[in-house]
Amino acid sequence: RLGDVSYAIYLLHPLVCGIAFEMHLSGFPLVVFCFGLTFAAAWFSYHYIEKPGMRLGKKLANLVRNPQTAKP
């Protein structure tokens, strides 16, 4: 879903577009490159960085709330 990756798109689009400008892309190739690579990088970031981070955060929050239930 687009809503899941929207923050990553917001963060990554300047980097991707900067790379495209350094490659001297313009016009339609610039748009295709920026959209394609931004969405691909955002999807990767969400699935392999954000989601695992959110799972870890939930585990740590549960550990702080209930320290006696923590496994040794």
Side-chain angles (χ1 to χ4, degrees):
R1 292 186 355 221
L2 182 60
D4 292 338
V5 297
S6 63
Y7 187 64
I9 290 171
Y10 168 72
L11 289 178
L12 294 171
H13 85 273
L15 175 67
V16 172
C17 291
I19 291 168
F21 287 127
E22 288 295 320
M23 294 171 59
H24 302 288
L25 294 176
S26 62
F28 187 69
L30 173 70
V31 172
V32 170
F33 182 85
C34 285
F35 272 98
L37 191 57
T38 298
F39 280 96
W43 181 89
F44 181 86
S45 171
Y46 178 74
H47 287 282
Y48 294 103
I49 297 172
E50 290 183 51
K51 280 178 78 171
M54 289 187 283
R55 281 194 299 270
L56 177 62
K58 287 179 184 178
K59 287 179 183 178
L60 291 174
N62 286 336
L63 180 63
V64 168
R65 272 190 236 120
N66 303 311
Q68 67 273 13
T69 61
K71 298 177 182 175

